[in-house]
Short mmCIF file of all heavy atoms in Angstrom, two decimals:
data_model
loop_
_atom_site.label_atom_id
_atom_site.label_comp_id
_atom_site.label_asym_id
_atom_site.label_seq_id
_atom_site.Cartn_x
_atom_site.Cartn_y
_atom_site.Cartn_z
N MET A 1085 18.65 6.46 5.79
CA MET A 1085 17.92 7.47 4.94
C MET A 1085 17.98 7.06 3.54
O MET A 1085 17.03 7.26 2.79
CB MET A 1085 18.49 8.74 5.14
CG MET A 1085 17.94 9.81 4.20
SD MET A 1085 17.97 11.43 4.78
CE MET A 1085 17.80 12.18 3.21
N ILE A 1086 19.13 6.57 3.04
CA ILE A 1086 19.24 6.24 1.62
C ILE A 1086 18.26 5.19 1.09
O ILE A 1086 17.77 5.22 0.04
CB ILE A 1086 20.81 5.99 1.20
CG1 ILE A 1086 20.87 5.80 -0.22
CG2 ILE A 1086 21.12 4.60 1.83
CD1 ILE A 1086 20.90 7.22 -0.93
N ASN A 1087 17.97 4.28 2.16
CA ASN A 1087 16.97 3.27 1.78
C ASN A 1087 15.60 3.70 1.52
O ASN A 1087 14.92 3.33 0.62
CB ASN A 1087 16.97 2.25 3.00
CG ASN A 1087 16.45 0.93 2.62
OD1 ASN A 1087 16.35 0.58 1.38
ND2 ASN A 1087 16.12 0.15 3.62
N GLU A 1088 15.15 4.84 2.30
CA GLU A 1088 13.87 5.44 1.96
C GLU A 1088 13.86 6.15 0.67
O GLU A 1088 12.83 6.12 -0.01
CB GLU A 1088 13.58 6.29 3.10
CG GLU A 1088 13.17 5.71 4.45
CD GLU A 1088 14.41 5.52 5.34
OE1 GLU A 1088 15.43 6.14 5.05
OE2 GLU A 1088 14.28 4.66 6.21
N VAL A 1089 14.95 6.76 0.28
CA VAL A 1089 15.04 7.47 -0.90
C VAL A 1089 15.08 6.48 -2.13
O VAL A 1089 14.35 6.69 -3.13
CB VAL A 1089 16.26 8.30 -1.02
CG1 VAL A 1089 16.46 8.89 -2.36
CG2 VAL A 1089 16.24 9.52 0.02
N LEU A 1090 15.77 5.31 -1.96
CA LEU A 1090 15.79 4.36 -2.97
C LEU A 1090 14.50 3.78 -3.28
O LEU A 1090 14.18 3.39 -4.52
CB LEU A 1090 16.88 3.37 -2.79
CG LEU A 1090 18.25 3.69 -2.98
CD1 LEU A 1090 19.17 2.63 -2.43
CD2 LEU A 1090 18.58 4.09 -4.34
N HIS A 1091 13.68 3.57 -2.35
CA HIS A 1091 12.43 2.80 -2.45
C HIS A 1091 11.27 3.81 -2.45
O HIS A 1091 10.06 3.45 -2.20
CB HIS A 1091 12.27 1.83 -1.32
CG HIS A 1091 13.38 0.77 -1.38
ND1 HIS A 1091 13.39 -0.13 -2.38
CD2 HIS A 1091 14.33 0.46 -0.47
CE1 HIS A 1091 14.49 -0.91 -2.22
NE2 HIS A 1091 15.05 -0.54 -1.10
N SER A 1092 11.47 5.02 -2.78
CA SER A 1092 10.43 6.07 -2.79
C SER A 1092 9.76 5.88 -4.17
O SER A 1092 10.30 5.76 -5.23
CB SER A 1092 11.06 7.54 -2.80
OG SER A 1092 10.17 8.39 -2.99
N ARG A 1093 8.38 6.07 -4.07
CA ARG A 1093 7.54 5.98 -5.22
C ARG A 1093 7.77 7.28 -6.06
O ARG A 1093 7.60 7.29 -7.29
CB ARG A 1093 6.04 5.88 -4.94
CG ARG A 1093 5.65 4.59 -4.27
CD ARG A 1093 4.24 4.42 -4.13
NE ARG A 1093 4.00 3.16 -3.49
CZ ARG A 1093 2.84 2.76 -3.03
NH1 ARG A 1093 1.86 3.60 -3.18
NH2 ARG A 1093 2.69 1.57 -2.51
N LEU A 1094 8.01 8.42 -5.40
CA LEU A 1094 8.26 9.73 -6.16
C LEU A 1094 9.44 9.57 -7.07
O LEU A 1094 9.46 9.94 -8.23
CB LEU A 1094 8.39 10.86 -5.18
CG LEU A 1094 8.55 12.12 -5.75
CD1 LEU A 1094 7.42 12.62 -6.65
CD2 LEU A 1094 8.75 13.24 -4.61
N ILE A 1095 10.59 9.05 -6.40
CA ILE A 1095 11.79 8.82 -7.22
C ILE A 1095 11.60 7.92 -8.37
O ILE A 1095 12.00 8.22 -9.43
CB ILE A 1095 12.94 8.30 -6.28
CG1 ILE A 1095 13.20 9.34 -5.16
CG2 ILE A 1095 14.14 7.96 -7.07
CD1 ILE A 1095 13.76 10.55 -5.65
N ALA A 1096 10.78 6.84 -8.15
CA ALA A 1096 10.54 5.93 -9.24
C ALA A 1096 9.72 6.60 -10.38
O ALA A 1096 9.89 6.43 -11.53
CB ALA A 1096 9.86 4.74 -8.77
N PHE A 1097 8.74 7.43 -9.98
CA PHE A 1097 7.92 8.08 -10.84
C PHE A 1097 8.83 9.14 -11.75
O PHE A 1097 8.70 9.16 -12.95
CB PHE A 1097 6.80 8.82 -10.22
CG PHE A 1097 5.96 9.68 -11.17
CD1 PHE A 1097 5.00 9.06 -12.05
CD2 PHE A 1097 5.97 11.10 -11.27
CE1 PHE A 1097 4.27 9.88 -12.88
CE2 PHE A 1097 5.34 11.78 -12.10
CZ PHE A 1097 4.37 11.24 -12.88
N VAL A 1098 9.59 9.82 -11.10
CA VAL A 1098 10.52 10.83 -11.73
C VAL A 1098 11.46 10.16 -12.83
O VAL A 1098 11.66 10.59 -13.92
CB VAL A 1098 11.27 11.71 -10.77
CG1 VAL A 1098 12.30 12.53 -11.37
CG2 VAL A 1098 10.32 12.58 -10.03
N MET A 1099 12.10 9.03 -12.28
CA MET A 1099 13.01 8.34 -13.17
C MET A 1099 12.28 7.77 -14.34
O MET A 1099 12.70 7.82 -15.45
CB MET A 1099 13.71 7.19 -12.33
CG MET A 1099 14.72 7.76 -11.50
SD MET A 1099 15.65 6.48 -10.60
CE MET A 1099 15.57 5.14 -11.71
N GLY A 1100 11.05 7.16 -14.09
CA GLY A 1100 10.27 6.67 -15.23
C GLY A 1100 9.91 7.82 -16.14
O GLY A 1100 9.95 7.51 -17.43
N SER A 1101 9.45 8.83 -15.66
CA SER A 1101 9.10 10.01 -16.55
C SER A 1101 10.26 10.47 -17.36
O SER A 1101 10.22 10.78 -18.55
CB SER A 1101 8.58 11.17 -15.74
OG SER A 1101 7.35 10.78 -15.04
N TRP A 1102 11.40 10.60 -16.68
CA TRP A 1102 12.60 10.99 -17.40
C TRP A 1102 13.03 10.06 -18.50
O TRP A 1102 13.45 10.51 -19.63
CB TRP A 1102 13.82 11.26 -16.31
CG TRP A 1102 15.02 11.76 -17.13
CD1 TRP A 1102 16.16 10.99 -17.37
CD2 TRP A 1102 15.26 13.10 -17.57
NE1 TRP A 1102 16.97 11.77 -17.97
CE2 TRP A 1102 16.57 13.04 -18.08
CE3 TRP A 1102 14.51 14.27 -17.56
CZ2 TRP A 1102 17.12 14.24 -18.73
CZ3 TRP A 1102 15.03 15.34 -18.12
CH2 TRP A 1102 16.30 15.37 -18.64
N SER A 1103 12.97 8.71 -18.18
CA SER A 1103 13.34 7.71 -19.18
C SER A 1103 12.28 7.76 -20.33
O SER A 1103 12.75 7.69 -21.54
CB SER A 1103 13.23 6.33 -18.52
OG SER A 1103 14.22 6.24 -17.57
N VAL A 1104 11.08 7.92 -20.09
CA VAL A 1104 10.07 8.08 -21.26
C VAL A 1104 10.31 9.39 -22.03
O VAL A 1104 10.30 9.35 -23.21
CB VAL A 1104 8.69 8.07 -20.73
CG1 VAL A 1104 7.61 8.49 -21.78
CG2 VAL A 1104 8.31 6.67 -20.13
N TYR A 1105 10.65 10.42 -21.34
CA TYR A 1105 10.86 11.72 -22.05
C TYR A 1105 12.21 11.48 -22.93
O TYR A 1105 12.29 11.82 -24.24
CB TYR A 1105 11.04 12.85 -21.13
CG TYR A 1105 11.73 14.06 -21.67
CD1 TYR A 1105 10.89 14.88 -22.56
CD2 TYR A 1105 13.05 14.43 -21.51
CE1 TYR A 1105 11.44 16.06 -23.12
CE2 TYR A 1105 13.55 15.62 -22.10
CZ TYR A 1105 12.73 16.43 -22.98
OH TYR A 1105 13.29 17.51 -23.49
N CYS A 1106 13.21 10.97 -22.35
CA CYS A 1106 14.58 10.77 -23.13
C CYS A 1106 14.20 9.83 -24.31
O CYS A 1106 14.75 10.06 -25.43
CB CYS A 1106 15.58 10.21 -22.30
SG CYS A 1106 16.22 11.36 -21.14
N GLY A 1107 13.50 8.80 -24.14
CA GLY A 1107 13.17 7.85 -25.23
C GLY A 1107 12.28 8.52 -26.31
O GLY A 1107 12.52 8.24 -27.48
N SER A 1108 11.43 9.39 -25.84
CA SER A 1108 10.65 10.01 -26.85
C SER A 1108 11.33 11.07 -27.75
O SER A 1108 10.94 11.28 -28.93
CB SER A 1108 9.41 10.67 -26.20
OG SER A 1108 9.88 11.76 -25.48
N ILE A 1109 12.32 11.64 -27.24
CA ILE A 1109 13.09 12.66 -28.07
C ILE A 1109 14.35 11.92 -28.74
O ILE A 1109 15.06 12.61 -29.47
CB ILE A 1109 13.51 13.85 -27.30
CG1 ILE A 1109 14.57 13.48 -26.20
CG2 ILE A 1109 12.34 14.62 -26.73
CD1 ILE A 1109 15.19 14.66 -25.48
N GLY A 1110 14.56 10.68 -28.45
CA GLY A 1110 15.61 9.93 -29.12
C GLY A 1110 16.91 9.97 -28.36
O GLY A 1110 18.00 9.60 -28.95
N ALA A 1111 16.96 10.51 -27.12
CA ALA A 1111 18.26 10.65 -26.31
C ALA A 1111 18.31 9.44 -25.45
O ALA A 1111 18.14 9.46 -24.15
CB ALA A 1111 18.28 11.93 -25.52
N TYR A 1112 18.59 8.27 -26.00
CA TYR A 1112 18.58 7.10 -25.29
C TYR A 1112 19.72 7.02 -24.22
O TYR A 1112 19.68 6.13 -23.22
CB TYR A 1112 18.72 5.86 -26.19
CG TYR A 1112 17.60 5.83 -27.12
CD1 TYR A 1112 17.63 6.01 -28.47
CD2 TYR A 1112 16.23 5.54 -26.62
CE1 TYR A 1112 16.64 5.99 -29.32
CE2 TYR A 1112 15.13 5.57 -27.49
CZ TYR A 1112 15.42 5.80 -28.84
OH TYR A 1112 14.31 5.85 -29.69
N ASP A 1113 20.80 7.75 -24.43
CA ASP A 1113 21.87 7.80 -23.47
C ASP A 1113 21.48 8.29 -22.07
O ASP A 1113 21.89 7.87 -21.02
CB ASP A 1113 23.11 8.51 -23.89
CG ASP A 1113 22.83 9.94 -24.37
OD1 ASP A 1113 21.56 10.26 -24.53
OD2 ASP A 1113 23.72 10.75 -24.50
N GLY A 1114 20.48 9.34 -22.09
CA GLY A 1114 20.01 9.90 -20.84
C GLY A 1114 19.08 8.88 -20.10
O GLY A 1114 19.33 8.72 -18.92
N ALA A 1115 18.37 8.24 -20.78
CA ALA A 1115 17.48 7.21 -20.17
C ALA A 1115 18.30 6.06 -19.63
O ALA A 1115 18.08 5.58 -18.46
CB ALA A 1115 16.45 6.62 -21.11
N THR A 1116 19.36 5.65 -20.33
CA THR A 1116 20.24 4.48 -19.89
C THR A 1116 20.99 4.98 -18.73
O THR A 1116 21.15 4.21 -17.77
CB THR A 1116 21.09 4.12 -21.08
OG1 THR A 1116 20.26 3.82 -22.14
CG2 THR A 1116 22.05 2.89 -20.68
N PHE A 1117 21.52 6.18 -18.65
CA PHE A 1117 22.37 6.62 -17.63
C PHE A 1117 21.50 6.62 -16.38
O PHE A 1117 22.03 6.18 -15.34
CB PHE A 1117 22.91 8.04 -17.89
CG PHE A 1117 23.61 8.57 -16.73
CD1 PHE A 1117 24.90 8.11 -16.31
CD2 PHE A 1117 22.99 9.62 -15.93
CE1 PHE A 1117 25.55 8.70 -15.27
CE2 PHE A 1117 23.60 10.11 -14.86
CZ PHE A 1117 24.90 9.60 -14.44
N ILE A 1118 20.34 7.21 -16.28
CA ILE A 1118 19.59 7.33 -15.08
C ILE A 1118 19.26 5.97 -14.57
O ILE A 1118 19.27 5.62 -13.40
CB ILE A 1118 18.41 8.27 -15.28
CG1 ILE A 1118 17.81 8.73 -13.95
CG2 ILE A 1118 17.29 7.58 -16.01
CD1 ILE A 1118 18.64 9.75 -13.17
N LEU A 1119 18.86 4.95 -15.45
CA LEU A 1119 18.55 3.63 -15.01
C LEU A 1119 19.85 2.92 -14.44
O LEU A 1119 19.67 2.26 -13.43
CB LEU A 1119 17.98 2.75 -16.15
CG LEU A 1119 16.55 3.36 -16.61
CD1 LEU A 1119 16.05 2.59 -17.72
CD2 LEU A 1119 15.62 3.26 -15.39
N LEU A 1120 20.99 3.11 -15.07
CA LEU A 1120 22.25 2.49 -14.66
C LEU A 1120 22.66 3.16 -13.29
O LEU A 1120 23.09 2.33 -12.36
CB LEU A 1120 23.30 2.63 -15.64
CG LEU A 1120 23.11 1.67 -16.95
CD1 LEU A 1120 24.20 1.94 -17.91
CD2 LEU A 1120 23.05 0.20 -16.54
N PHE A 1121 22.57 4.33 -13.11
CA PHE A 1121 22.85 5.04 -11.93
C PHE A 1121 21.96 4.59 -10.74
O PHE A 1121 22.44 4.24 -9.65
CB PHE A 1121 22.68 6.61 -12.10
CG PHE A 1121 23.13 7.33 -10.82
CD1 PHE A 1121 24.46 7.43 -10.47
CD2 PHE A 1121 22.14 7.99 -10.10
CE1 PHE A 1121 24.80 8.13 -9.38
CE2 PHE A 1121 22.51 8.68 -9.02
CZ PHE A 1121 23.86 8.74 -8.58
N TYR A 1122 20.71 4.49 -11.00
CA TYR A 1122 19.72 3.92 -9.97
C TYR A 1122 20.02 2.51 -9.60
O TYR A 1122 20.05 2.08 -8.44
CB TYR A 1122 18.31 4.10 -10.39
CG TYR A 1122 17.31 3.68 -9.35
CD1 TYR A 1122 17.06 4.47 -8.30
CD2 TYR A 1122 16.53 2.53 -9.45
CE1 TYR A 1122 16.11 4.17 -7.32
CE2 TYR A 1122 15.59 2.22 -8.60
CZ TYR A 1122 15.43 2.90 -7.47
OH TYR A 1122 14.56 2.63 -6.61
N GLY A 1123 20.38 1.62 -10.65
CA GLY A 1123 20.75 0.18 -10.36
C GLY A 1123 21.95 0.11 -9.66
O GLY A 1123 22.10 -0.68 -8.70
N LEU A 1124 22.99 0.95 -9.89
CA LEU A 1124 24.21 1.03 -9.06
C LEU A 1124 23.94 1.41 -7.59
O LEU A 1124 24.52 0.82 -6.76
CB LEU A 1124 25.25 1.97 -9.69
CG LEU A 1124 26.60 2.11 -8.99
CD1 LEU A 1124 27.31 0.76 -9.11
CD2 LEU A 1124 27.35 3.18 -9.60
N MET A 1125 23.07 2.38 -7.45
CA MET A 1125 22.76 2.74 -6.01
C MET A 1125 22.02 1.55 -5.29
O MET A 1125 22.31 1.31 -4.14
CB MET A 1125 21.88 4.05 -6.02
CG MET A 1125 22.63 5.32 -6.37
SD MET A 1125 21.60 6.76 -6.58
CE MET A 1125 20.53 6.70 -5.06
N LEU A 1126 21.18 1.01 -6.00
CA LEU A 1126 20.48 -0.30 -5.39
C LEU A 1126 21.46 -1.38 -5.05
O LEU A 1126 21.38 -1.85 -3.96
CB LEU A 1126 19.44 -0.78 -6.30
CG LEU A 1126 18.05 -0.07 -6.35
CD1 LEU A 1126 17.23 -0.68 -7.44
CD2 LEU A 1126 17.45 -0.05 -5.02
N LEU A 1127 22.41 -1.56 -5.93
CA LEU A 1127 23.40 -2.66 -5.62
C LEU A 1127 24.25 -2.35 -4.56
O LEU A 1127 24.57 -3.14 -3.62
CB LEU A 1127 24.18 -2.84 -6.92
CG LEU A 1127 25.34 -3.85 -6.77
CD1 LEU A 1127 24.79 -5.26 -6.64
CD2 LEU A 1127 26.30 -3.86 -7.97
N LEU A 1128 24.77 -1.09 -4.42
CA LEU A 1128 25.62 -0.65 -3.30
C LEU A 1128 24.87 -0.74 -2.07
O LEU A 1128 25.43 -1.09 -0.99
CB LEU A 1128 26.15 0.70 -3.60
CG LEU A 1128 27.21 0.89 -4.73
CD1 LEU A 1128 27.61 2.26 -4.95
CD2 LEU A 1128 28.42 -0.08 -4.47
N ASN A 1129 23.61 -0.24 -2.09
CA ASN A 1129 22.80 -0.35 -0.83
C ASN A 1129 22.61 -1.76 -0.40
O ASN A 1129 22.67 -2.14 0.87
CB ASN A 1129 21.44 0.31 -1.11
CG ASN A 1129 20.62 0.45 0.16
OD1 ASN A 1129 21.12 0.71 1.23
ND2 ASN A 1129 19.29 0.25 0.07
N HIS A 1130 22.39 -2.71 -1.31
CA HIS A 1130 22.14 -4.10 -1.01
C HIS A 1130 23.47 -4.66 -0.46
O HIS A 1130 23.39 -5.38 0.58
CB HIS A 1130 21.64 -4.93 -2.16
CG HIS A 1130 21.57 -6.39 -2.07
ND1 HIS A 1130 20.60 -6.87 -1.29
CD2 HIS A 1130 22.43 -7.32 -2.48
CE1 HIS A 1130 20.81 -8.15 -1.23
NE2 HIS A 1130 21.77 -8.54 -1.95
N LEU A 1131 24.57 -4.35 -0.96
CA LEU A 1131 25.82 -4.90 -0.49
C LEU A 1131 26.17 -4.35 0.90
O LEU A 1131 26.65 -5.03 1.76
CB LEU A 1131 26.97 -4.52 -1.43
CG LEU A 1131 26.94 -5.25 -2.87
CD1 LEU A 1131 28.00 -4.70 -3.63
CD2 LEU A 1131 27.00 -6.85 -2.67
N ASP A 1132 25.82 -2.99 1.13
CA ASP A 1132 25.99 -2.54 2.44
C ASP A 1132 25.17 -3.08 3.47
O ASP A 1132 25.54 -3.40 4.63
CB ASP A 1132 25.75 -0.92 2.39
CG ASP A 1132 26.19 -0.32 3.68
OD1 ASP A 1132 27.28 -0.60 4.23
OD2 ASP A 1132 25.43 0.60 4.09
N GLN A 1133 23.84 -3.39 3.19
CA GLN A 1133 23.00 -4.08 4.10
C GLN A 1133 23.44 -5.48 4.44
O GLN A 1133 23.40 -5.93 5.55
CB GLN A 1133 21.57 -3.97 3.57
CG GLN A 1133 20.80 -2.76 3.77
CD GLN A 1133 19.44 -2.81 3.19
OE1 GLN A 1133 19.04 -3.74 2.52
NE2 GLN A 1133 18.67 -1.80 3.45
N LYS A 1134 23.92 -6.18 3.37
CA LYS A 1134 24.33 -7.49 3.46
C LYS A 1134 25.70 -7.56 4.48
O LYS A 1134 25.65 -8.40 5.40
CB LYS A 1134 24.64 -8.04 2.13
CG LYS A 1134 24.46 -9.55 2.03
CD LYS A 1134 24.54 -9.83 0.55
CE LYS A 1134 25.37 -11.13 0.30
NZ LYS A 1134 25.55 -11.44 -1.07
N LYS A 1135 26.46 -6.62 4.29
CA LYS A 1135 27.62 -6.48 5.09
C LYS A 1135 27.40 -6.28 6.47
O LYS A 1135 27.84 -6.84 7.50
CB LYS A 1135 28.53 -5.46 4.58
CG LYS A 1135 29.87 -5.33 5.11
CD LYS A 1135 30.73 -4.30 4.45
CE LYS A 1135 31.22 -3.24 5.41
NZ LYS A 1135 32.04 -2.26 4.64
N SER A 1136 26.30 -5.31 6.72
CA SER A 1136 26.02 -4.94 8.12
C SER A 1136 25.20 -6.18 8.80
O SER A 1136 25.32 -6.40 9.96
CB SER A 1136 25.13 -3.69 8.18
OG SER A 1136 23.88 -3.86 7.53
N ASP A 1137 24.46 -6.88 8.03
CA ASP A 1137 23.71 -8.01 8.54
C ASP A 1137 24.67 -9.16 9.01
O ASP A 1137 24.58 -9.80 9.96
CB ASP A 1137 22.79 -8.71 7.47
CG ASP A 1137 21.54 -7.79 7.30
OD1 ASP A 1137 21.32 -6.85 8.21
OD2 ASP A 1137 20.92 -7.93 6.33
N SER A 1138 25.68 -9.43 8.16
CA SER A 1138 26.77 -10.37 8.53
C SER A 1138 27.56 -10.08 9.71
O SER A 1138 27.93 -10.88 10.58
CB SER A 1138 27.57 -10.69 7.34
OG SER A 1138 28.40 -9.62 7.06
N ALA A 1139 27.79 -8.69 9.90
CA ALA A 1139 28.55 -8.26 11.23
C ALA A 1139 27.63 -8.32 12.31
O ALA A 1139 28.11 -8.68 13.44
CB ALA A 1139 28.98 -6.71 10.92
N ALA A 1140 26.37 -8.08 12.20
CA ALA A 1140 25.44 -8.29 13.31
C ALA A 1140 25.36 -9.63 13.68
O ALA A 1140 25.25 -10.05 14.90
CB ALA A 1140 24.06 -7.65 12.99
N ASN A 1141 25.34 -10.57 12.78
CA ASN A 1141 25.18 -12.09 13.09
C ASN A 1141 26.55 -12.49 13.77
O ASN A 1141 26.50 -13.30 14.60
CB ASN A 1141 25.03 -12.79 11.83
CG ASN A 1141 23.62 -12.70 11.22
OD1 ASN A 1141 22.73 -12.28 11.99
ND2 ASN A 1141 23.51 -12.98 10.02
N THR A 1142 27.63 -11.95 13.33
CA THR A 1142 28.99 -12.43 13.95
C THR A 1142 28.87 -11.87 15.43
O THR A 1142 29.37 -12.57 16.28
CB THR A 1142 30.07 -11.80 13.11
OG1 THR A 1142 30.08 -12.18 11.81
CG2 THR A 1142 31.40 -12.18 13.77
N ASN A 1143 28.54 -10.70 15.61
CA ASN A 1143 28.54 -10.17 17.04
C ASN A 1143 27.50 -10.95 17.86
O ASN A 1143 27.78 -11.15 19.00
CB ASN A 1143 28.07 -8.67 16.94
CG ASN A 1143 29.21 -7.81 16.42
OD1 ASN A 1143 30.35 -8.22 16.44
ND2 ASN A 1143 28.77 -6.64 15.99
N ALA A 1144 26.38 -11.38 17.39
CA ALA A 1144 25.39 -12.11 18.12
C ALA A 1144 26.02 -13.57 18.46
O ALA A 1144 25.80 -14.01 19.56
CB ALA A 1144 24.12 -12.36 17.29
N GLN A 1145 26.80 -14.10 17.61
CA GLN A 1145 27.36 -15.44 17.84
C GLN A 1145 28.41 -15.39 18.85
O GLN A 1145 28.68 -16.31 19.58
CB GLN A 1145 27.83 -15.98 16.50
CG GLN A 1145 26.78 -16.41 15.63
CD GLN A 1145 27.31 -16.88 14.18
OE1 GLN A 1145 28.49 -16.83 14.03
NE2 GLN A 1145 26.35 -17.44 13.36
N ASN A 1146 29.12 -14.19 18.97
CA ASN A 1146 30.26 -14.10 19.84
C ASN A 1146 29.87 -13.90 21.27
O ASN A 1146 30.52 -14.10 22.23
CB ASN A 1146 31.10 -12.99 19.44
CG ASN A 1146 31.97 -13.24 18.13
OD1 ASN A 1146 32.17 -14.45 17.92
ND2 ASN A 1146 32.37 -12.32 17.48
N LYS A 1147 28.58 -13.46 21.47
CA LYS A 1147 28.12 -13.19 22.83
C LYS A 1147 27.61 -14.32 23.56
O LYS A 1147 27.25 -15.38 23.23
CB LYS A 1147 26.96 -12.08 22.79
CG LYS A 1147 27.52 -10.75 22.45
CD LYS A 1147 26.54 -9.66 22.49
CE LYS A 1147 27.19 -8.45 22.22
NZ LYS A 1147 26.31 -7.34 22.21
#
């Protein structure tokens, strides 16, 4: 489920809108935080998928 949320166009639109809003009022920390938080979620999702893929490959080789 987290994969669908991370790759949602609605989430990307909301984050982009928030970043533009924060940038327009001069609150760059809000724009930076939301982008770093989303990047961290993407990284953790990628590492989790990589880990599960390597476990699946190991199980396939053992059979």
